C-alpha cells in the first residue's frame, strides 16, 4: 500500500453522523470502527467511533473519530494531518523529522488495534498522526 496523506477530523460524539453525511456528499466506501469493537465494551463510549475511513471514487480520503475519553474537543482546532501506510521505513522517517523539535503526544509504538502509531505536534504547531500497518500479504 502506498503511503497516504489526508485530514483526520475529531468530532464531539457525532462522528458517525458526520461521516455518513460526507459519504452522501462525496460517495464512496465508508468503514466505521467503534471503541467497543476495539476492546472497550461496556464503557459509556463503546458505541462512539474510534476510527472512520471514507474513500471516495475520485481519490478523496477522509478519516475521523469521536474525541477519545480524557481528551478535550476544541472546535476549530479539531483536526490533524494523517500519514498512513505499510512502508515502515518511509513512515518512521517522516515521524522522526516531524516530531524533531516538536511535542510527542503519543509515542510511536504498537497500539491495541495492532498497528504502530504515534501523534505529535511539529515545531510549527501542526498536529500529525502517523500509522504504520502490517504490509498486505
Amino acid at each position: 500500500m502506498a503511503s497516504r496523506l489526508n485530514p483526520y477530523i475529531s468530532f464531539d460524539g457525532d462522528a458517525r453522523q458526520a461521516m455518513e453525511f460526507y459519504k452522501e456528499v462525496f460517495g464512496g466506501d465508508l468503514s466505521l470502527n467503534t471503541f467497543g469493537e476495539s476492546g472497550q465494551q461496556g464503557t459509556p463510549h463503546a458505541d462512539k467511533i474510534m476510527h472512520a475511513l471514507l474513500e471516495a471514487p475520485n481519490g478523496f480520503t477522509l478519516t475521523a473519530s469521536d474525541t477519545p475519553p480524557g481528551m478535550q474537543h476544541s472546535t476549530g482546532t479539531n483536526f490533524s494531518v494523517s500519514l498512513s501506510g505499510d512502508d515502515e521505513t518511509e513512515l518512521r522517517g517522516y515521524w522522526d523529522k516531524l516530531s524533531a523539535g516538536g511535542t510527542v503526544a503519543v509515542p510511536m509504538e504498537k497500539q491495541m488495534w495492532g498497528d504502530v502509531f504515534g501523534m505529535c505536534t511539529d515545531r510549527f504547531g501542526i498536529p500529525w498522526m502517523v500509522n504504520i500497518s502490517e504490509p498486505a500479504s
Side-chain angles (χ1 to χ4, degrees), residues 35-57:
F35 285 100
E37 294 168 333
S38 299
Q40 297 179 32
Q41 305 92 335
T43 63
H45 59 278
D47 65 334
K48 298 298 180 189
I49 302 301
M50 187 187 94
H51 181 71
L53 170 66
L54 175 63
E55 295 178 295

Side-chain angles (χ1 to χ4, degrees), residues 4-137:
R4 174 185 292 169
L5 175 86
N6 62 274
Y8 200 107
I9 304 170
S10 179
F11 291 94
D12 194 21
D14 56 358
R16 179 184 306 274
Q17 295 88 338
M19 293 302 286
E20 288 171 349
F21 168 72
Y22 297 137
K23 181 179 185 211
E24 289 176 21
V25 172
F26 299 113
D29 297 316
L30 175 63
S31 64
L32 300 168
N33 302 97
T34 66
F35 285 100
E37 294 168 333
S38 299
Q40 297 179 32
Q41 305 92 335
T43 63
H45 59 278
D47 65 334
K48 298 298 180 189
I49 302 301
M50 187 187 94
H51 181 71
L53 170 66
L54 175 63
E55 295 178 295
N58 62 2
F60 289 176
T61 300
L62 185 61
T63 50
S65 68
D66 285 310
T67 302
M71 294 183 74
Q72 185 176 356
H73 180 269
S74 181
T75 301
T77 59
N78 53 328
F79 77 95
S80 295
V81 181
S82 173
L83 284 168
S84 58
D86 60 12
D87 187 329
E88 183 171 0
T89 302
E90 178 183 48
L91 291 165
R92 280 193 184 273
Y94 295 143
W95 169 261
D96 291 343
K97 292 173 185 173
L98 289 165
S99 62
T103 305
V104 173
V106 176
M108 179 65 77
E109 60 190 21
K110 188 98 164 171
Q111 300 297 322
M112 66 181 169
W113 61 88
D115 294 349
V116 174
F117 175 83
M119 290 174 56
C120 70
T121 300
D122 71 22
R123 61 187 174 150
F124 299 102
I126 303 300
W128 291 87
M129 302 166 68
V130 178
N131 191 88
I132 305 168
S133 58
E134 293 291 322
S137 49

